[in-house]
Amino acid sequence: MALMALLTLLLGQYQLSSKQIIRILDFYLLVSASLVILGLFFSRPITEDNETRNVVYLFGLAPDPNNLLTLYSVCFSISIYYALFLKRMRIINYVLTLLSVYVIFNTGSRSGIIILLFLTSILFWYGQKDKPLHSKVKITIVAILILFVIYLLLPVFLSDSVYDRIMGKGELAFMDSTGREVRWSTALNEWLNSNILFGLGLGSAPAHSTFITMLVALGIIGYTFFLIFIFGTVIKIIRQGNVLALLLFVSPMLQSFFIDAQNKRFFWNGIIFPYLLYNCIDKTFVLKDHSLN
């Protein structure tokens, strides 16, 4: 974690051109899109006893569904951005966007729904903020209809067990089946009853939530610096109007709220890539330079 934080700070000092960043993003998209394609053909339940979550199986190995979901969301973010804002290979990128939505749902992760809703809201807000009222109303109606169609088609394309998990049916209630509430309350109680200012130390009380785990581990003092680091990044992104940086930042941060991700690469990638985009020399990725038509 210390080395990743140091790497993040060092990379944040570099200024790359838009061509250099596009090359990096193309490779990032290639990797995440490859996983999406593999998820279509080599996806199976994570265990024989658990058919509610599907992941990619290759050579007897399978990733954690939460980690996989975040990489799927990278494909969604970059492909939809390329299609809508940069007008690059629009048909291919729209197809990748739709496929990434499907494999995200196929993981059976409820956090995937939250991530997709947030990302879609960001795209809607930035794409329509300068439009007249009648245009906003029209696109809102279209968006609602699309979401309704997706809702109707989910049971057609997903297995019953995956669909039930996503919808929280039966014993698969949204929070109760995960045990997160118990883990969160246990970790917070340990913190409140011990060292509130300086915390219990890293690795002391994993709470299945990066933000709660860091509070318990670092205490109020360390957690304040952690939040300054996180929210300082997002404030800079929003002020600049850098929609791609915001997309790549939001999905790993949201996922990190529901799992311990402080030692996972996708968490730090969610900070490193926005830094690079924010510091782009020619500001190609600032929304006002290529507003959505």
Side-chain angles (χ1 to χ4, degrees):
M1 287 173 55
L3 289 174
M4 286 304 299
L6 179 60
L7 177 63
T8 302
L9 291 173
L10 290 175
L11 289 175
Q13 308 307 311
Y14 282 91
Q15 280 193 306
L16 302 179
S17 68
S18 60
K19 290 183 179 180
Q20 291 173 313
I21 292 179
I22 283 291
R23 292 193 189 101
I24 296 173
L25 289 172
D26 285 345
F27 183 75
Y28 203 16
L29 177 60
L30 176 64
V31 173
S32 56
S34 298
L35 282 172
V36 168
I37 301 301
L38 291 172
L40 294 175
F41 299 102
F42 298 97
S43 181
R44 73 181 199 190
I46 189 169
T47 65
E48 294 181 358
D49 299 327
N50 184 0
E51 296 184 350
T52 64
R53 312 202 71 176
N54 292 314
V55 295
V56 175
Y57 261 88
L58 289 175
F59 308 110
L61 300 174
D64 178 88
N66 294 312
N67 299 348
L68 184 63
L69 161 67
T70 310
L71 290 171
Y72 285 160
S73 69
V74 169
C75 180
F76 175 89
S77 297
I78 299 178
S79 61
I80 193 67
Y81 179 85
Y82 277 3
L84 289 177
F85 294 100
L86 295 189
K87 312 296 190 295
R88 293 185 65 199
M89 302 171 63
R90 300 183 76 174
I91 295 178
I92 293 176
N93 281 307
Y94 278 134
V95 170
L96 287 176
T97 299
L98 293 175
L99 294 179
S100 61
V101 170
Y102 168 73
V103 293
I104 285 173
F105 277 114
N106 201 36
T107 62
S109 176
R110 277 74 66 92
S111 60
I113 299 176
I114 297 174
I115 289 172
L116 286 175
L117 288 175
F118 266 85
L119 296 180
T120 304
S121 298
I122 291 169
L123 290 167
F124 176 82
W125 169 254
Y126 279 101
Q128 296 296 316
K129 66 177 184 177
D130 296 325
K131 301 292 183 180
L133 179 60
H134 67 85
S135 177
K136 293 179 180 179
V137 172
K138 182 174 67 175
I139 197 65
T140 300
I141 294 173
V142 172
I144 292 173
L145 289 175
I146 291 174
L147 290 174
F148 183 68
V149 171
I150 291 175
Y151 173 77
L152 293 178
L153 291 178
L154 280 179
V156 177
F157 291 98
L158 299 177
S159 66
D160 292 340
S161 55
V162 173
Y163 179 78
D164 288 346
R165 188 182 199 279
I166 290 175
M167 295 301 166
K169 292 186 175 181
E171 298 178 355
L172 299 172
F174 183 73
M175 292 296 291
D176 297 341
S177 64
T178 65
R180 283 190 178 92
E181 289 180 331
V182 174
R183 296 186 188 188
W184 292 356
S185 62
T186 300
L188 289 172
N189 285 331
E190 288 184 25
W191 168 65
L192 289 172
N193 293 322
S194 57
N195 197 331
I196 296 178
L197 287 179
F198 298 99
L200 305 177
L202 292 174
S204 56
H208 214 52
S209 169
T210 301
F211 291 89
I212 296 178
T213 296
M214 295 298 281
L215 172 61
V216 174
L218 301 178
I220 293 177
I221 295 177
Y223 195 62
T224 300
F225 287 102
F226 175 71
L227 290 183
I228 290 174
F229 185 61
I230 297 296
F231 286 103
T233 301
V234 71
I235 289 172
K236 290 179 180 179
I237 293 170
I238 292 175
R239 284 179 176 175
Q240 193 189 64
N242 197 320
V243 64
L244 180 56
L246 191 57
L247 292 174
L248 293 176
F249 177 83
V250 164
S251 55
M253 292 305 113
L254 283 175
Q255 184 69 321
S256 298
F257 186 82
F258 296 102
I259 64 172
D260 288 312
Q262 63 273 10
N263 61 345
K264 298 183 184 296
R265 289 185 181 87
F266 75 75
F267 173 78
W268 295 100
N269 285 346
I271 300 173
I272 291 173
F273 278 92
Y275 257 112
L276 294 177
L277 289 164
Y278 177 81
N279 290 325
C280 179
I281 294 174
D282 45 15
K283 304 300 180 187
T284 298
F285 298 96
V286 179
L287 184 67
K288 63 184 179 182
D289 291 338
H290 52 274
S291 56
L292 177 61
N293 295 317

